[in-house]
Amino acid sequence: MEKRDELYAGKAKSVYYTDDPERFVLVFRDDTSAFDGEKKEQLTRKGMVNNRFNAFIMEKLEAAGIPTHFEKLLSPVESLVKKLDMLPVECVVRNVSAGSLCRRLGVEEGQSLTPPTYELFLKNDALHDPMINESLAVTFGWAAADELAQMKILTYKVNEVLKALFEEAGLLLVDYKLEFGRVSGEIVLGDEFSPDGCRIWDMATRKKMDKDRFRQGLGDVIETYEEVGKRLGIQFD
Ligand code: ADP
Ligand code: UDP
């Protein structure tokens, strides 16, 4: 496998063509951003930590029967993935209230949500990722009704697998965002699952162990990501 030209540089990762038209290389950079790119910093080791974290989680999900784009680790900061036709829709499940849910609905942070909630957002930085629903997604062609149904099933299935995995490590999976894409007529989990795209709290102390440390200037961002990873059994360099 040969890495070719860069296709796209996002806020945290870059996507490269390969000599295989059906595969991309994802490069996890140290760049960190929040608030739609308004707050930006380089955090040493972040690319490596998120790449290894994501590989570990994607393998767990694949083993549980959830189709993912992940193929293999290529280097500390690079992964080989299936090329997907990404859908511009972010799927969010919440087990505990936090973040935009609290701001939007005026509910207190830390409330247990039963059953867990499911929300859709349009992936569009210029519009600040507005909340959408299935009707809007179908009407505007962002995804078909059957694709949305499958994304919802898979997003909740991810919750079953990961909630249990985190719980065993004394961690609370508060919420997370997933992105899906199409390949060969199938809906497949793409992008990444790392502490950048979810909220994780220590079960006993409720310490924030995710990107909220960066958003809220709490410090020790990557050290804390690594602690989460180590508690899950991930080996870092
Ligand atoms: P953003 O685009 O939000 O700034 P990133 O920096 O994480 O985000 O960039 C990675 C980009 O790669 C995202 O736009 C994501 O949708 C896209 N992507 C992730 N996985 C795949 C894949 N398997 N095939 C094609 N594109 C992908
Ligand atoms: N999230 C993300 N990317 C986004 C928006 C949200 O990874 O563009 C994640 C976020 O880290 C959290 C979950 O999705 O784990 C729910 O985010 P929320 O709607 O509360 O928004 P935020 O508070 O991050 O603005």
Side-chain angles (χ1 to χ4, degrees), residues 7-15 24 26 29 33 69 81-87 90 123 125 177 179 189-192:
L7 165 68
Y8 172 75
K11 295 186 292 298
K13 300 190 292 301
S14 302
V15 183
F24 280 155
L26 286 189
R29 308 194 314 269
S33 76
H69 68 157
V81 298
K82 290 185 191 81
K83 173 182 172 176
L84 302 183
D85 173 18
M86 297 300 290
L87 299 163
E90 301 186 337
K123 192 172 154 67
D125 282 342
K177 177 266 302 177
E179 290 180 28
L189 179 62
D191 204 47
E192 73 179 277

Side-chain angles (χ1 to χ4, degrees), residues 18 120 129 195 198:
T18 69
L120 299 178
D129 293 352
C198 66

Side-chain angles (χ1 to χ4, degrees), residues 11 35-36 90-94 98-104 119 121-123 125 129 174-179 191 194-200 210-212 215:
K11 295 186 292 298
F35 312 121
D36 302 313
E90 301 186 337
C91 305
V92 172
V93 159
R94 301 177 196 268
S100 75
L101 181 82
C102 297
R103 294 196 296 276
R104 223 175 324 118
E119 291 156 53
F121 297 89
L122 179 66
K123 192 172 154 67
D125 282 342
D129 293 352
V174 170
D175 59 30
Y176 56 88
K177 177 266 302 177
L178 302 180
E179 290 180 28
D191 204 47
S194 76
D196 264 4
C198 66
R199 288 192 170 91
I200 305 157
D210 52 69
K211 197 169 166 183
D212 272 349
R215 292 190 190 98

